[in-house]
Every structure is written in C-alpha cells, then in structure tokens.
PDB file of all heavy atoms in Angstrom:
ATOM      1  N   PHE A   1      -5.192  -1.070  30.947  1.00  0.00           N
ATOM      2  CA  PHE A   1      -4.613  -0.628  29.661  1.00  0.00           C
ATOM      3  C   PHE A   1      -3.105  -0.548  29.770  1.00  0.00           C
ATOM      4  O   PHE A   1      -2.375  -0.724  28.807  1.00  0.00           O
ATOM      5  CB  PHE A   1      -5.176   0.717  29.241  1.00  0.00           C
ATOM      6  CG  PHE A   1      -6.647   0.647  28.905  1.00  0.00           C
ATOM      7  CD1 PHE A   1      -7.467   1.861  29.087  1.00  0.00           C
ATOM      8  CD2 PHE A   1      -7.234  -0.456  28.403  1.00  0.00           C
ATOM      9  CE1 PHE A   1      -8.788   1.799  28.800  1.00  0.00           C
ATOM     10  CE2 PHE A   1      -8.644  -0.496  28.140  1.00  0.00           C
ATOM     11  CZ  PHE A   1      -9.398   0.648  28.309  1.00  0.00           C
ATOM     12  N   ASP A   2      -2.615  -0.210  30.933  1.00  0.00           N
ATOM     13  CA  ASP A   2      -1.137  -0.076  31.125  1.00  0.00           C
ATOM     14  C   ASP A   2      -0.471  -1.454  31.084  1.00  0.00           C
ATOM     15  O   ASP A   2       0.785  -1.476  30.980  1.00  0.00           O
ATOM     16  CB  ASP A   2      -0.852   0.615  32.434  1.00  0.00           C
ATOM     17  CG  ASP A   2      -1.253   2.092  32.478  1.00  0.00           C
ATOM     18  OD1 ASP A   2      -1.301   2.663  31.363  1.00  0.00           O
ATOM     19  OD2 ASP A   2      -1.544   2.594  33.549  1.00  0.00           O
ATOM     20  N   ASP A   3      -1.212  -2.467  31.192  1.00  0.00           N
ATOM     21  CA  ASP A   3      -0.657  -3.817  31.217  1.00  0.00           C
ATOM     22  C   ASP A   3      -0.686  -4.492  29.865  1.00  0.00           C
ATOM     23  O   ASP A   3      -0.247  -5.635  29.664  1.00  0.00           O
ATOM     24  CB  ASP A   3      -1.497  -4.745  32.135  1.00  0.00           C
ATOM     25  CG  ASP A   3      -1.392  -4.279  33.557  1.00  0.00           C
ATOM     26  OD1 ASP A   3      -0.352  -3.702  33.972  1.00  0.00           O
ATOM     27  OD2 ASP A   3      -2.339  -4.554  34.374  1.00  0.00           O
ATOM     28  N   ILE A   4      -1.081  -3.753  28.784  1.00  0.00           N
ATOM     29  CA  ILE A   4      -1.076  -4.281  27.460  1.00  0.00           C
ATOM     30  C   ILE A   4       0.404  -4.405  26.975  1.00  0.00           C
ATOM     31  O   ILE A   4       1.192  -3.526  27.093  1.00  0.00           O
ATOM     32  CB  ILE A   4      -1.864  -3.404  26.518  1.00  0.00           C
ATOM     33  CG1 ILE A   4      -3.365  -3.403  26.889  1.00  0.00           C
ATOM     34  CG2 ILE A   4      -1.674  -3.830  25.014  1.00  0.00           C
ATOM     35  CD1 ILE A   4      -4.179  -2.379  26.127  1.00  0.00           C
ATOM     36  N   ARG A   5       0.657  -5.583  26.356  1.00  0.00           N
ATOM     37  CA  ARG A   5       1.991  -5.831  25.817  1.00  0.00           C
ATOM     38  C   ARG A   5       1.892  -6.503  24.408  1.00  0.00           C
ATOM     39  O   ARG A   5       1.030  -7.333  24.192  1.00  0.00           O
ATOM     40  CB  ARG A   5       2.802  -6.828  26.719  1.00  0.00           C
ATOM     41  CG  ARG A   5       3.048  -6.241  28.123  1.00  0.00           C
ATOM     42  CD  ARG A   5       4.011  -5.104  28.115  1.00  0.00           C
ATOM     43  NE  ARG A   5       4.381  -4.583  29.407  1.00  0.00           N
ATOM     44  CZ  ARG A   5       3.736  -3.639  30.075  1.00  0.00           C
ATOM     45  NH1 ARG A   5       2.633  -3.033  29.480  1.00  0.00           N
ATOM     46  NH2 ARG A   5       4.086  -3.251  31.305  1.00  0.00           N
ATOM     47  N   ALA A   6       2.816  -6.109  23.537  1.00  0.00           N
ATOM     48  CA  ALA A   6       2.767  -6.629  22.159  1.00  0.00           C
ATOM     49  C   ALA A   6       3.431  -8.015  22.064  1.00  0.00           C
ATOM     50  O   ALA A   6       4.340  -8.382  22.857  1.00  0.00           O
ATOM     51  CB  ALA A   6       3.578  -5.667  21.229  1.00  0.00           C
ATOM     52  N   LEU A   7       2.993  -8.808  21.099  1.00  0.00           N
ATOM     53  CA  LEU A   7       3.569 -10.066  20.790  1.00  0.00           C
ATOM     54  C   LEU A   7       4.213 -10.002  19.396  1.00  0.00           C
ATOM     55  O   LEU A   7       5.463 -10.224  19.306  1.00  0.00           O
ATOM     56  CB  LEU A   7       2.539 -11.185  20.794  1.00  0.00           C
ATOM     57  CG  LEU A   7       1.899 -11.505  22.187  1.00  0.00           C
ATOM     58  CD1 LEU A   7       0.780 -12.530  22.019  1.00  0.00           C
ATOM     59  CD2 LEU A   7       2.987 -12.069  23.099  1.00  0.00           C
ATOM     60  N   PHE A   8       3.461  -9.727  18.364  1.00  0.00           N
ATOM     61  CA  PHE A   8       4.064  -9.736  17.033  1.00  0.00           C
ATOM     62  C   PHE A   8       3.206  -8.957  16.047  1.00  0.00           C
ATOM     63  O   PHE A   8       1.990  -8.795  16.257  1.00  0.00           O
ATOM     64  CB  PHE A   8       4.277 -11.154  16.466  1.00  0.00           C
ATOM     65  CG  PHE A   8       3.041 -12.032  16.702  1.00  0.00           C
ATOM     66  CD1 PHE A   8       1.979 -11.974  15.846  1.00  0.00           C
ATOM     67  CD2 PHE A   8       3.056 -12.958  17.735  1.00  0.00           C
ATOM     68  CE1 PHE A   8       0.879 -12.818  16.040  1.00  0.00           C
ATOM     69  CE2 PHE A   8       1.972 -13.793  17.930  1.00  0.00           C
ATOM     70  CZ  PHE A   8       0.860 -13.710  17.068  1.00  0.00           C
ATOM     71  N   PRO A   9       3.790  -8.400  14.978  1.00  0.00           N
ATOM     72  CA  PRO A   9       3.020  -7.641  13.937  1.00  0.00           C
ATOM     73  C   PRO A   9       2.317  -8.608  13.002  1.00  0.00           C
ATOM     74  O   PRO A   9       2.760  -9.717  12.787  1.00  0.00           O
ATOM     75  CB  PRO A   9       4.118  -6.823  13.240  1.00  0.00           C
ATOM     76  CG  PRO A   9       5.334  -7.688  13.335  1.00  0.00           C
ATOM     77  CD  PRO A   9       5.221  -8.345  14.692  1.00  0.00           C
ATOM     78  N   ILE A  10       1.201  -8.137  12.469  1.00  0.00           N
ATOM     79  CA  ILE A  10       0.512  -8.912  11.398  1.00  0.00           C
ATOM     80  C   ILE A  10       0.383  -7.959  10.223  1.00  0.00           C
ATOM     81  O   ILE A  10       0.765  -6.813  10.323  1.00  0.00           O
ATOM     82  CB  ILE A  10      -0.852  -9.457  11.893  1.00  0.00           C
ATOM     83  CG1 ILE A  10      -1.772  -8.355  12.296  1.00  0.00           C
ATOM     84  CG2 ILE A  10      -0.650 -10.474  13.015  1.00  0.00           C
ATOM     85  CD1 ILE A  10      -3.189  -8.835  12.633  1.00  0.00           C
ATOM     86  N   PRO A  11      -0.186  -8.390   9.078  1.00  0.00           N
ATOM     87  CA  PRO A  11      -0.208  -7.441   7.903  1.00  0.00           C
ATOM     88  C   PRO A  11      -0.950  -6.152   8.199  1.00  0.00           C
ATOM     89  O   PRO A  11      -1.895  -6.131   8.952  1.00  0.00           O
ATOM     90  CB  PRO A  11      -1.034  -8.291   6.897  1.00  0.00           C
ATOM     91  CG  PRO A  11      -0.662  -9.716   7.220  1.00  0.00           C
ATOM     92  CD  PRO A  11      -0.563  -9.754   8.681  1.00  0.00           C
ATOM     93  N   SER A  12      -0.418  -5.072   7.695  1.00  0.00           N
ATOM     94  CA  SER A  12      -0.921  -3.727   7.929  1.00  0.00           C
ATOM     95  C   SER A  12      -2.175  -3.466   7.084  1.00  0.00           C
ATOM     96  O   SER A  12      -2.340  -4.016   6.014  1.00  0.00           O
ATOM     97  CB  SER A  12       0.139  -2.679   7.598  1.00  0.00           C
ATOM     98  OG  SER A  12       1.276  -2.876   8.448  1.00  0.00           O
ATOM     99  N   LEU A  13      -3.020  -2.550   7.554  1.00  0.00           N
ATOM    100  CA  LEU A  13      -4.085  -2.015   6.793  1.00  0.00           C
ATOM    101  C   LEU A  13      -3.487  -1.111   5.715  1.00  0.00           C
ATOM    102  O   LEU A  13      -2.905  -0.015   6.106  1.00  0.00           O
ATOM    103  CB  LEU A  13      -5.075  -1.253   7.608  1.00  0.00           C
ATOM    104  CG  LEU A  13      -6.186  -1.994   8.380  1.00  0.00           C
ATOM    105  CD1 LEU A  13      -6.781  -1.146   9.454  1.00  0.00           C
ATOM    106  CD2 LEU A  13      -7.197  -2.544   7.384  1.00  0.00           C
ATOM    107  N   THR A  14      -3.535  -1.430   4.437  1.00  0.00           N
ATOM    108  CA  THR A  14      -2.826  -0.713   3.435  1.00  0.00           C
ATOM    109  C   THR A  14      -3.830  -0.062   2.498  1.00  0.00           C
ATOM    110  O   THR A  14      -4.771  -0.639   1.940  1.00  0.00           O
ATOM    111  CB  THR A  14      -1.962  -1.736   2.624  1.00  0.00           C
ATOM    112  OG1 THR A  14      -1.098  -2.435   3.538  1.00  0.00           O
ATOM    113  CG2 THR A  14      -1.126  -1.067   1.576  1.00  0.00           C
ATOM    114  N   MET A  15      -3.555   1.243   2.207  1.00  0.00           N
ATOM    115  CA  MET A  15      -4.442   2.020   1.364  1.00  0.00           C
ATOM    116  C   MET A  15      -4.148   1.769  -0.122  1.00  0.00           C
ATOM    117  O   MET A  15      -3.015   1.688  -0.561  1.00  0.00           O
ATOM    118  CB  MET A  15      -4.230   3.504   1.635  1.00  0.00           C
ATOM    119  CG  MET A  15      -4.749   4.024   2.964  1.00  0.00           C
ATOM    120  SD  MET A  15      -6.589   3.833   3.119  1.00  0.00           S
ATOM    121  CE  MET A  15      -7.131   4.984   1.873  1.00  0.00           C
ATOM    122  N   HIS A  16      -5.245   1.566  -0.843  1.00  0.00           N
ATOM    123  CA  HIS A  16      -5.171   1.376  -2.323  1.00  0.00           C
ATOM    124  C   HIS A  16      -6.172   2.348  -2.975  1.00  0.00           C
ATOM    125  O   HIS A  16      -7.355   2.317  -2.702  1.00  0.00           O
ATOM    126  CB  HIS A  16      -5.600  -0.044  -2.682  1.00  0.00           C
ATOM    127  CG  HIS A  16      -4.714  -1.149  -2.286  1.00  0.00           C
ATOM    128  ND1 HIS A  16      -4.631  -1.576  -0.947  1.00  0.00           N
ATOM    129  CD2 HIS A  16      -3.894  -1.921  -2.967  1.00  0.00           C
ATOM    130  CE1 HIS A  16      -3.803  -2.587  -0.876  1.00  0.00           C
ATOM    131  NE2 HIS A  16      -3.323  -2.847  -2.131  1.00  0.00           N
ATOM    132  N   PHE A  17      -5.661   3.227  -3.786  1.00  0.00           N
ATOM    133  CA  PHE A  17      -6.486   4.023  -4.654  1.00  0.00           C
ATOM    134  C   PHE A  17      -6.441   3.392  -6.067  1.00  0.00           C
ATOM    135  O   PHE A  17      -5.388   3.434  -6.740  1.00  0.00           O
ATOM    136  CB  PHE A  17      -5.956   5.498  -4.770  1.00  0.00           C
ATOM    137  CG  PHE A  17      -6.400   6.339  -3.637  1.00  0.00           C
ATOM    138  CD1 PHE A  17      -5.809   6.274  -2.374  1.00  0.00           C
ATOM    139  CD2 PHE A  17      -7.481   7.273  -3.751  1.00  0.00           C
ATOM    140  CE1 PHE A  17      -6.231   7.100  -1.301  1.00  0.00           C
ATOM    141  CE2 PHE A  17      -7.890   8.036  -2.710  1.00  0.00           C
ATOM    142  CZ  PHE A  17      -7.280   7.929  -1.491  1.00  0.00           C
ATOM    143  N   VAL A  18      -7.474   2.710  -6.452  1.00  0.00           N
ATOM    144  CA  VAL A  18      -7.497   1.842  -7.601  1.00  0.00           C
ATOM    145  C   VAL A  18      -8.281   2.540  -8.736  1.00  0.00           C
ATOM    146  O   VAL A  18      -9.490   2.812  -8.581  1.00  0.00           O
ATOM    147  CB  VAL A  18      -8.146   0.491  -7.268  1.00  0.00           C
ATOM    148  CG1 VAL A  18      -8.038  -0.466  -8.462  1.00  0.00           C
ATOM    149  CG2 VAL A  18      -7.456  -0.083  -6.066  1.00  0.00           C
ATOM    150  N   MET A  19      -7.629   2.803  -9.872  1.00  0.00           N
ATOM    151  CA  MET A  19      -8.300   3.485 -10.963  1.00  0.00           C
ATOM    152  C   MET A  19      -8.285   2.547 -12.215  1.00  0.00           C
ATOM    153  O   MET A  19      -7.321   1.838 -12.506  1.00  0.00           O
ATOM    154  CB  MET A  19      -7.608   4.761 -11.291  1.00  0.00           C
ATOM    155  CG  MET A  19      -7.475   5.771 -10.186  1.00  0.00           C
ATOM    156  SD  MET A  19      -9.101   6.268  -9.511  1.00  0.00           S
ATOM    157  CE  MET A  19      -9.820   7.047 -10.950  1.00  0.00           C
ATOM    158  N   SER A  20      -9.383   2.558 -12.969  1.00  0.00           N
ATOM    159  CA  SER A  20      -9.459   1.739 -14.198  1.00  0.00           C
ATOM    160  C   SER A  20      -8.459   2.249 -15.179  1.00  0.00           C
ATOM    161  O   SER A  20      -8.142   3.474 -15.260  1.00  0.00           O
ATOM    162  CB  SER A  20     -10.880   1.794 -14.797  1.00  0.00           C
ATOM    163  OG  SER A  20     -11.123   3.081 -15.318  1.00  0.00           O
ATOM    164  N   ALA A  21      -7.956   1.361 -16.011  1.00  0.00           N
ATOM    165  CA  ALA A  21      -7.035   1.738 -17.025  1.00  0.00           C
ATOM    166  C   ALA A  21      -7.671   2.725 -18.023  1.00  0.00           C
ATOM    167  O   ALA A  21      -7.030   3.688 -18.498  1.00  0.00           O
ATOM    168  CB  ALA A  21      -6.495   0.499 -17.762  1.00  0.00           C
ATOM    169  N   ASP A  22      -8.956   2.541 -18.258  1.00  0.00           N
ATOM    170  CA  ASP A  22      -9.701   3.349 -19.230  1.00  0.00           C
ATOM    171  C   ASP A  22      -9.813   4.822 -18.738  1.00  0.00           C
ATOM    172  O   ASP A  22      -9.966   5.742 -19.520  1.00  0.00           O
ATOM    173  CB  ASP A  22     -11.101   2.857 -19.462  1.00  0.00           C
ATOM    174  CG  ASP A  22     -11.074   1.544 -20.305  1.00  0.00           C
ATOM    175  OD1 ASP A  22      -9.999   1.280 -20.895  1.00  0.00           O
ATOM    176  OD2 ASP A  22     -12.096   0.807 -20.269  1.00  0.00           O
ATOM    177  N   SER A  23      -9.732   5.016 -17.434  1.00  0.00           N
ATOM    178  CA  SER A  23      -9.847   6.401 -16.866  1.00  0.00           C
ATOM    179  C   SER A  23      -8.647   7.233 -17.227  1.00  0.00           C
ATOM    180  O   SER A  23      -8.793   8.467 -17.221  1.00  0.00           O
ATOM    181  CB  SER A  23     -10.060   6.344 -15.326  1.00  0.00           C
ATOM    182  OG  SER A  23      -8.806   5.977 -14.736  1.00  0.00           O
ATOM    183  N   GLY A  24      -7.542   6.555 -17.467  1.00  0.00           N
ATOM    184  CA  GLY A  24      -6.310   7.372 -17.756  1.00  0.00           C
ATOM    185  C   GLY A  24      -5.651   8.018 -16.553  1.00  0.00           C
ATOM    186  O   GLY A  24      -4.653   8.685 -16.734  1.00  0.00           O
ATOM    187  N   VAL A  25      -6.203   7.772 -15.361  1.00  0.00           N
ATOM    188  CA  VAL A  25      -5.624   8.436 -14.182  1.00  0.00           C
ATOM    189  C   VAL A  25      -4.404   7.718 -13.657  1.00  0.00           C
ATOM    190  O   VAL A  25      -4.450   6.457 -13.439  1.00  0.00           O
ATOM    191  CB  VAL A  25      -6.684   8.431 -13.074  1.00  0.00           C
ATOM    192  CG1 VAL A  25      -6.139   9.095 -11.817  1.00  0.00           C
ATOM    193  CG2 VAL A  25      -7.894   9.306 -13.571  1.00  0.00           C
ATOM    194  N   THR A  26      -3.335   8.362 -13.515  1.00  0.00           N
ATOM    195  CA  THR A  26      -2.071   7.748 -12.988  1.00  0.00           C
ATOM    196  C   THR A  26      -1.513   8.442 -11.785  1.00  0.00           C
ATOM    197  O   THR A  26      -0.490   8.100 -11.190  1.00  0.00           O
ATOM    198  CB  THR A  26      -1.016   7.741 -14.077  1.00  0.00           C
ATOM    199  OG1 THR A  26      -0.746   9.038 -14.520  1.00  0.00           O
ATOM    200  CG2 THR A  26      -1.422   6.862 -15.253  1.00  0.00           C
ATOM    201  N   ASP A  27      -2.156   9.599 -11.324  1.00  0.00           N
ATOM    202  CA  ASP A  27      -1.678  10.314 -10.180  1.00  0.00           C
ATOM    203  C   ASP A  27      -2.941  10.984  -9.543  1.00  0.00           C
ATOM    204  O   ASP A  27      -4.047  11.014 -10.101  1.00  0.00           O
ATOM    205  CB  ASP A  27      -0.619  11.337 -10.493  1.00  0.00           C
ATOM    206  CG  ASP A  27      -0.985  12.364 -11.510  1.00  0.00           C
ATOM    207  OD1 ASP A  27      -2.233  12.631 -11.678  1.00  0.00           O
ATOM    208  OD2 ASP A  27      -0.142  12.939 -12.145  1.00  0.00           O
ATOM    209  N   PHE A  28      -2.750  11.534  -8.393  1.00  0.00           N
ATOM    210  CA  PHE A  28      -3.903  12.131  -7.627  1.00  0.00           C
ATOM    211  C   PHE A  28      -4.453  13.337  -8.286  1.00  0.00           C
ATOM    212  O   PHE A  28      -5.674  13.605  -8.266  1.00  0.00           O
ATOM    213  CB  PHE A  28      -3.503  12.395  -6.176  1.00  0.00           C
ATOM    214  CG  PHE A  28      -3.485  11.204  -5.274  1.00  0.00           C
ATOM    215  CD1 PHE A  28      -2.363  10.375  -5.183  1.00  0.00           C
ATOM    216  CD2 PHE A  28      -4.609  10.814  -4.596  1.00  0.00           C
ATOM    217  CE1 PHE A  28      -2.338   9.245  -4.365  1.00  0.00           C
ATOM    218  CE2 PHE A  28      -4.645   9.672  -3.878  1.00  0.00           C
ATOM    219  CZ  PHE A  28      -3.505   8.890  -3.723  1.00  0.00           C
ATOM    220  N   ALA A  29      -3.637  14.109  -9.000  1.00  0.00           N
ATOM    221  CA  ALA A  29      -4.158  15.270  -9.692  1.00  0.00           C
ATOM    222  C   ALA A  29      -5.184  14.883 -10.731  1.00  0.00           C
ATOM    223  O   ALA A  29      -6.177  15.630 -11.001  1.00  0.00           O
ATOM    224  CB  ALA A  29      -3.008  16.043 -10.357  1.00  0.00           C
ATOM    225  N   GLY A  30      -5.001  13.728 -11.299  1.00  0.00           N
ATOM    226  CA  GLY A  30      -5.944  13.183 -12.381  1.00  0.00           C
ATOM    227  C   GLY A  30      -7.296  12.789 -11.832  1.00  0.00           C
ATOM    228  O   GLY A  30      -8.194  12.470 -12.633  1.00  0.00           O
ATOM    229  N   LEU A  31      -7.481  12.759 -10.474  1.00  0.00           N
ATOM    230  CA  LEU A  31      -8.760  12.343  -9.902  1.00  0.00           C
ATOM    231  C   LEU A  31      -9.843  13.417 -10.092  1.00  0.00           C
ATOM    232  O   LEU A  31     -11.041  13.076 -10.039  1.00  0.00           O
ATOM    233  CB  LEU A  31      -8.639  12.021  -8.460  1.00  0.00           C
ATOM    234  CG  LEU A  31      -7.802  10.819  -8.034  1.00  0.00           C
ATOM    235  CD1 LEU A  31      -7.668  10.706  -6.494  1.00  0.00           C
ATOM    236  CD2 LEU A  31      -8.395   9.561  -8.581  1.00  0.00           C
ATOM    237  N   GLU A  32      -9.466  14.573 -10.349  1.00  0.00           N
ATOM    238  CA  GLU A  32     -10.471  15.654 -10.531  1.00  0.00           C
ATOM    239  C   GLU A  32     -11.452  15.366 -11.593  1.00  0.00           C
ATOM    240  O   GLU A  32     -11.063  15.017 -12.729  1.00  0.00           O
ATOM    241  CB  GLU A  32      -9.779  17.047 -10.783  1.00  0.00           C
ATOM    242  CG  GLU A  32     -10.756  18.230 -10.733  1.00  0.00           C
ATOM    243  CD  GLU A  32     -10.022  19.508 -10.750  1.00  0.00           C
ATOM    244  OE1 GLU A  32      -8.788  19.542 -10.458  1.00  0.00           O
ATOM    245  OE2 GLU A  32     -10.688  20.565 -11.012  1.00  0.00           O
ATOM    246  N   GLY A  33     -12.747  15.428 -11.230  1.00  0.00           N
ATOM    247  CA  GLY A  33     -13.799  15.168 -12.229  1.00  0.00           C
ATOM    248  C   GLY A  33     -14.115  13.673 -12.369  1.00  0.00           C
ATOM    249  O   GLY A  33     -15.046  13.357 -13.167  1.00  0.00           O
ATOM    250  N   LYS A  34     -13.525  12.857 -11.656  1.00  0.00           N
ATOM    251  CA  LYS A  34     -13.656  11.369 -11.783  1.00  0.00           C
ATOM    252  C   LYS A  34     -14.705  10.864 -10.763  1.00  0.00           C
ATOM    253  O   LYS A  34     -14.834  11.495  -9.751  1.00  0.00           O
ATOM    254  CB  LYS A  34     -12.361  10.627 -11.701  1.00  0.00           C
ATOM    255  CG  LYS A  34     -11.340  11.045 -12.745  1.00  0.00           C
ATOM    256  CD  LYS A  34     -11.840  10.750 -14.144  1.00  0.00           C
ATOM    257  CE  LYS A  34     -10.793  11.094 -15.212  1.00  0.00           C
ATOM    258  NZ  LYS A  34     -11.254  10.871 -16.593  1.00  0.00           N
ATOM    259  N   SER A  35     -15.235   9.680 -11.050  1.00  0.00           N
ATOM    260  CA  SER A  35     -16.153   9.113 -10.044  1.00  0.00           C
ATOM    261  C   SER A  35     -15.429   8.026  -9.246  1.00  0.00           C
ATOM    262  O   SER A  35     -14.826   7.069  -9.806  1.00  0.00           O
ATOM    263  CB  SER A  35     -17.311   8.472 -10.841  1.00  0.00           C
ATOM    264  OG  SER A  35     -18.183   7.710  -9.976  1.00  0.00           O
ATOM    265  N   ILE A  36     -15.477   8.169  -7.905  1.00  0.00           N
ATOM    266  CA  ILE A  36     -14.744   7.275  -6.994  1.00  0.00           C
ATOM    267  C   ILE A  36     -15.691   6.665  -5.997  1.00  0.00           C
ATOM    268  O   ILE A  36     -16.560   7.373  -5.459  1.00  0.00           O
ATOM    269  CB  ILE A  36     -13.631   8.068  -6.242  1.00  0.00           C
ATOM    270  CG1 ILE A  36     -12.713   8.750  -7.166  1.00  0.00           C
ATOM    271  CG2 ILE A  36     -12.833   7.094  -5.355  1.00  0.00           C
ATOM    272  CD1 ILE A  36     -11.927   7.864  -8.101  1.00  0.00           C
ATOM    273  N   LEU A  37     -15.560   5.314  -5.756  1.00  0.00           N
ATOM    274  CA  LEU A  37     -16.325   4.656  -4.746  1.00  0.00           C
ATOM    275  C   LEU A  37     -15.427   4.531  -3.501  1.00  0.00           C
ATOM    276  O   LEU A  37     -14.377   3.890  -3.549  1.00  0.00           O
ATOM    277  CB  LEU A  37     -16.732   3.299  -5.253  1.00  0.00           C
ATOM    278  CG  LEU A  37     -17.859   2.584  -4.527  1.00  0.00           C
ATOM    279  CD1 LEU A  37     -18.438   1.435  -5.396  1.00  0.00           C
ATOM    280  CD2 LEU A  37     -17.393   1.971  -3.185  1.00  0.00           C
ATOM    281  N   LEU A  38     -15.916   5.129  -2.420  1.00  0.00           N
ATOM    282  CA  LEU A  38     -15.163   5.011  -1.125  1.00  0.00           C
ATOM    283  C   LEU A  38     -15.728   3.962  -0.187  1.00  0.00           C
ATOM    284  O   LEU A  38     -15.018   3.501   0.689  1.00  0.00           O
ATOM    285  CB  LEU A  38     -15.229   6.359  -0.400  1.00  0.00           C
ATOM    286  CG  LEU A  38     -14.564   7.586  -1.071  1.00  0.00           C
ATOM    287  CD1 LEU A  38     -14.770   8.824  -0.152  1.00  0.00           C
ATOM    288  CD2 LEU A  38     -13.083   7.340  -1.239  1.00  0.00           C
ATOM    289  N   GLY A  39     -16.952   3.593  -0.402  1.00  0.00           N
ATOM    290  CA  GLY A  39     -17.601   2.684   0.573  1.00  0.00           C
ATOM    291  C   GLY A  39     -18.153   3.491   1.693  1.00  0.00           C
ATOM    292  O   GLY A  39     -18.089   4.725   1.720  1.00  0.00           O
ATOM    293  N   LYS A  40     -18.514   2.750   2.742  1.00  0.00           N
ATOM    294  CA  LYS A  40     -19.200   3.437   3.916  1.00  0.00           C
ATOM    295  C   LYS A  40     -18.711   2.853   5.267  1.00  0.00           C
ATOM    296  O   LYS A  40     -18.727   1.622   5.371  1.00  0.00           O
ATOM    297  CB  LYS A  40     -20.712   3.320   3.763  1.00  0.00           C
ATOM    298  CG  LYS A  40     -21.296   3.922   2.546  1.00  0.00           C
ATOM    299  CD  LYS A  40     -22.810   3.588   2.434  1.00  0.00           C
ATOM    300  CE  LYS A  40     -23.406   4.129   1.095  1.00  0.00           C
ATOM    301  NZ  LYS A  40     -24.804   3.803   1.017  1.00  0.00           N
ATOM    302  N   GLY A  41     -18.359   3.691   6.162  1.00  0.00           N
ATOM    303  CA  GLY A  41     -18.160   3.279   7.488  1.00  0.00           C
ATOM    304  C   GLY A  41     -16.853   2.622   7.820  1.00  0.00           C
ATOM    305  O   GLY A  41     -16.517   2.399   8.976  1.00  0.00           O
ATOM    306  N   SER A  42     -16.072   2.265   6.804  1.00  0.00           N
ATOM    307  CA  SER A  42     -14.804   1.505   7.038  1.00  0.00           C
ATOM    308  C   SER A  42     -13.648   2.430   7.261  1.00  0.00           C
ATOM    309  O   SER A  42     -13.733   3.637   6.963  1.00  0.00           O
ATOM    310  CB  SER A  42     -14.549   0.585   5.866  1.00  0.00           C
ATOM    311  OG  SER A  42     -14.210   1.358   4.710  1.00  0.00           O
ATOM    312  N   PHE A  43     -12.504   1.893   7.715  1.00  0.00           N
ATOM    313  CA  PHE A  43     -11.275   2.684   7.816  1.00  0.00           C
ATOM    314  C   PHE A  43     -10.940   3.228   6.448  1.00  0.00           C
ATOM    315  O   PHE A  43     -10.532   4.385   6.312  1.00  0.00           O
ATOM    316  CB  PHE A  43     -10.180   1.824   8.414  1.00  0.00           C
ATOM    317  CG  PHE A  43      -8.792   2.440   8.263  1.00  0.00           C
ATOM    318  CD1 PHE A  43      -8.395   3.350   9.137  1.00  0.00           C
ATOM    319  CD2 PHE A  43      -7.958   2.070   7.277  1.00  0.00           C
ATOM    320  CE1 PHE A  43      -7.167   3.997   9.069  1.00  0.00           C
ATOM    321  CE2 PHE A  43      -6.656   2.599   7.110  1.00  0.00           C
ATOM    322  CZ  PHE A  43      -6.291   3.584   8.030  1.00  0.00           C
ATOM    323  N   GLY A  44     -11.034   2.408   5.407  1.00  0.00           N
ATOM    324  CA  GLY A  44     -10.616   2.851   4.100  1.00  0.00           C
ATOM    325  C   GLY A  44     -11.452   3.934   3.622  1.00  0.00           C
ATOM    326  O   GLY A  44     -10.947   4.878   2.926  1.00  0.00           O
ATOM    327  N   ALA A  45     -12.762   3.948   3.903  1.00  0.00           N
ATOM    328  CA  ALA A  45     -13.667   5.003   3.438  1.00  0.00           C
ATOM    329  C   ALA A  45     -13.317   6.304   4.179  1.00  0.00           C
ATOM    330  O   ALA A  45     -13.233   7.405   3.493  1.00  0.00           O
ATOM    331  CB  ALA A  45     -15.087   4.620   3.750  1.00  0.00           C
TER     332      ALA A  45
END
C-alpha cells in the first residue's frame, strides 16, 4: 500500500439532490414531509 502512486484525476463522485419542480422545494429545509428516493447500497444512498 505504501507503494501506491497517483497518475491523474478523473471526474468526481458528485452529490445531486434532485427535486421535481412541482414539489416546490428549493432548499434543504423544504425537504421536510417530502418523499425522497435514496436507492440502496450505493455511495449516493
């Protein structure tokens, strides 16, 4: 493990909290009472 060396960066794992326009949610406080799909077992979940 001490011999591991980097070469170059690739695209990062980027978090997206995606809300429907109809939900009216534009910030995290607005998530209260809403239904959210997180998925299962993934980094994002």
Side-chain angles (χ1 to χ4, degrees):
F1 295 150
D2 293 331
D3 296 331
I4 294 173
R5 297 292 183 270
L7 292 174
F8 46 79
I10 62 174
S12 300
L13 277 165
T14 304
M15 289 297 294
H16 294 73
F17 277 79
V18 185
M19 303 301 299
S20 69
D22 290 343
S23 73
V25 177
T26 57
D27 57 25
F28 280 89
L31 291 177
E32 188 169 344
K34 301 299 182 181
S35 173
I36 305 295
L37 196 163
L38 295 179
K40 301 174 183 178
S42 67
F43 168 79

